[in-house]
Amino acid sequence: MRTIKPLIAIAILIVGSISCKKDTKNVEPVISTFYFIRHAEKDRTDPENPDPELNQEGLDRAIRWAEVFDAIPMNAIYSTNYERTSMTAAPTSVKQNVDVQYYDPKSLDVEEFKLANEGKNVLVVGHSNTIPDFVNKMIGFDKYEQMDDTDNSSLFIVRIIDGVPTDFRLKMD
């Protein structure tokens, strides 16, 4: 009888550990996907204007971005509080029925941002200097340099699966 009790205890431990392992296999990974774009082409007719709107080419590109993102259900859309970024985000916002939220890249807490958008598809619209910096902070190292001032077609995608980021950059010309 004394040898049976230790065997039962060992059997319970083995079954318990197998059950725990099965539970972890059935847990779905948490996947967050962030799409980063620079604003579309801005009106450069007044070089003194610090907050220009988009020109016609930029308006056309903003509409094309909305078409690119049409197949991706966005949960959140973020833009800096400038005319050119707001106008770039607007067609996607309207098409997806998601309000644009404004952010300040200078004061943004990236870890808080990641946490607030965990498990979501998120579009972020910014500038040639803020988007690469934001992406670098999301992935945890300096990989991307400031974008060229004529680059309005880069798409940075950061996917975070269970806290581990991956990234890539596409050109959407």
Side-chain angles (χ1 to χ4, degrees):
M1 189 75 153
R2 288 186 182 179
T3 58
I4 294 177
K5 285 184 182 179
L7 290 176
I8 292 173
I10 291 172
I12 290 172
L13 287 174
I14 291 171
V15 170
S17 68
I18 291 171
S19 297
C20 290
K21 286 180 184 174
K22 279 187 181 178
D23 288 344
T24 59
K25 287 182 183 176
N26 292 331
V27 173
E28 292 293 320
V30 177
I31 302 171
S32 310
T33 307
F34 299 89
Y35 303 88
F36 293 88
I37 60 173
R38 178 185 180 219
H39 61 79
E41 291 81 354
K42 64 184 176 182
D43 181 356
R44 296 177 186 267
T45 57
D46 180 4
E48 300 300 314
N49 183 356
D51 192 14
E53 295 185 351
L54 298 180
N55 62 21
Q56 187 58 53
E57 188 179 355
L59 292 170
D60 293 343
R61 184 179 301 277
I63 291 167
R64 285 195 310 275
W65 279 125
E67 291 169 359
V68 166
F69 297 124
D70 193 36
I72 304 164
M74 293 294 171
N75 304 105
I77 299 173
Y78 292 88
S79 171
T80 59
N81 197 9
Y82 286 86
E83 290 295 326
R84 59 194 175 273
T85 52
S86 297
M87 291 174 75
T88 302
T92 303
S93 170
V94 169
K95 206 166 190 179
Q96 299 251 356
N97 196 27
V98 175
D99 291 336
V100 175
Q101 301 174 63
Y102 293 99
Y103 74 99
D104 180 354
K106 294 177 187 169
S107 63
L108 182 76
D109 181 324
V110 173
E111 292 307 314
E112 188 177 295
F113 180 80
K114 286 181 190 178
L115 195 58
N117 292 291
E118 193 172 65
K120 297 179 180 179
N121 290 323
V122 179
L123 172 62
V124 179
V125 184
H127 306 270
S128 61
N129 59 334
T130 64
I131 288 298
D133 184 57
F134 200 157
V135 171
N136 288 339
K137 288 176 180 172
M138 293 289 286
I139 62 175
F141 66 98
D142 291 337
K143 180 175 180 179
Y144 299 104
E145 295 180 12
Q146 183 170 321
M147 299 166 69
D148 187 87
D149 191 45
T150 60
D151 183 352
N152 301 96
S153 62
S154 283
L155 168 62
F156 298 85
I157 302 174
V158 175
R159 177 164 276 176
I160 301 174
I161 302 174
D162 290 336
V164 179
T166 58
D167 67 286
F168 55 97
R169 180 181 189 173
L170 301 172
K171 293 288 273 184
M172 304 299 286
D173 282 328

